[in-house]
């Protein structure tokens, strides 16, 4: 079931801070459903979307670290320049093992922080909306945010000391529910749910207010005019 926003912090207790793991595909394999619309700009679009996502997450005051898991040197360099920590996909065994590997690194850096897996496809992400969602997530051992389509997941979290067991993939909303994670559905947090896989998704993100890198690349796509 969904959860309302938590009340303001009480008794002077500081809010829980988080290490967020962001998986970034090798650009040659990224945003394939955007191939027709993006043409030769597909890889640039994938990098722009990831960079806007990471930059917004780093501006959120609830976020201690952003850990990017990638084997592509180009996004590794660009996202490191923004302030993200970069780790290779050492397991090379699929998305969820990569996220677990990144979360392990997050717990090595800060055992008292929560850990979360954040989609790299949130170019309209707003730091204040992410903070509200993370505060709500902190009230449960495990929590998740469904994507705008209501099928997938854009954020999965585990509190300190709680096993980190993401279930990304087809139908991940149902999978996370089945594992007992609390679903977070807060009004006014559309930017945390608006992932981008298709041209219509990109139009919706632009309407919300995508970051500068995504907006710049999108302006070069005639199909979005």
């Amino acid at each position: 079931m969904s959860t309302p926003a938590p009340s303001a912090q009480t008794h002077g207790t500081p809010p829980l801070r988080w290490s967020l793991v962001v998986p970034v595909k090798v650009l040659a394999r990224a945003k394939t459903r955007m191939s027709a619309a993006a043409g030769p700009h597909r890889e640039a679009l994938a990098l722009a979307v990831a960079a806007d996502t990471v930059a917004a997450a780093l501006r959120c005051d609830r976020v201690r670290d952003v850990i990017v898991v990638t084997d592509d040197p180009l996004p590794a360099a660009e996202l490191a320049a923004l302030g993200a920590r970069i780790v290779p996909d050492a397991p090379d065994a699929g998305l969820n093992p990569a996220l677990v590997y990144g979360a392990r690194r997050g717990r090595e850096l800060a055992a008292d922080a929560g850990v979360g897996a954040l989609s790299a496809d949130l170019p309209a992400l707003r730091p204040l909306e992410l903070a509200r969602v993370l505060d709500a997530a902190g009230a449960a051992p495990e929590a998740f945010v469904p994507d705008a389509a209501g099928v997938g997941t854009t954020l999965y979290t585990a509190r300190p000391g709680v096993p980190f067991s993401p279930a990304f993939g087809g139908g991940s909303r149902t999978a996370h529910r089945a594992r007992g994670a609390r679903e977070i559905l807060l009004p006014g947090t559309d930017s945390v749910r608006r992932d981008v896989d298709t041209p219509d998704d990109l139009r919706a993100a632009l309407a919300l207010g995508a970051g500068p890198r995504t907006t710049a690349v999108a302006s070069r796509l005639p199909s979005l005019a």
Side-chain angles (χ1 to χ4, degrees):
M1 64 187 288
S2 61
T3 184
S7 59
Q9 299 293 322
T10 57
H11 307 299
T13 303
L16 182 63
R17 299 192 74 203
W18 298 84
S19 295
L20 296 184
V21 182
V22 179
V24 176
K25 288 182 179 179
V26 172
L27 295 179
R29 300 197 299 267
K31 291 285 168 280
T32 55
R33 292 169 66 185
M34 293 290 297
S35 294
H41 304 293
R42 177 179 58 81
E43 292 186 20
L45 177 65
L47 179 55
V49 167
D52 282 334
T53 301
V54 168
L58 287 166
R59 293 197 305 272
C60 176
D61 64 6
R62 301 298 192 264
V63 175
R64 184 188 186 279
D65 295 293
V66 172
I67 300 164
V68 170
V69 182
T70 187
D71 282 335
D72 192 316
L74 179 55
E78 294 218 10
L79 301 176
L82 294 176
R85 298 176 184 269
I86 310 299
V87 298
D89 183 4
D92 194 21
L95 175 57
N96 289 305
L99 294 171
V100 170
Y101 177 72
R104 187 179 306 123
R105 177 60 175 149
R107 284 182 160 160
E108 290 171 356
L109 292 167
D112 60 344
V115 287
L118 181 71
S119 168
D121 298 333
L122 303 171
L125 184 64
R126 294 172 180 156
L128 289 177
E129 293 184 14
L130 178 59
R132 290 183 59 216
V133 166
L134 290 172
D135 283 349
E142 296 176 87
F144 74 98
V145 176
D147 64 11
V151 176
T153 301
T154 59
L155 175 69
Y156 161 80
T157 63
R159 284 184 54 85
V162 175
F164 184 81
S165 302
F168 285 85
S172 63
R173 182 185 193 182
T174 298
H176 283 127
R177 276 178 166 176
R179 293 187 181 199
R182 180 180 296 179
E183 184 171 59
I184 307 296
L185 283 171
L186 300 179
T189 58
D190 291 349
S191 76
V192 188
R193 301 183 63 191
R194 180 69 277 165
D195 55 347
V196 170
D197 291 313
T198 68
D200 283 344
D201 294 339
L202 180 54
R203 290 186 185 94
L206 292 168
L208 274 178
R213 299 166 184 83
T214 303
T215 300
V217 176
S219 70
R220 306 200 294 269
L221 309 184
S223 62
L224 293 179

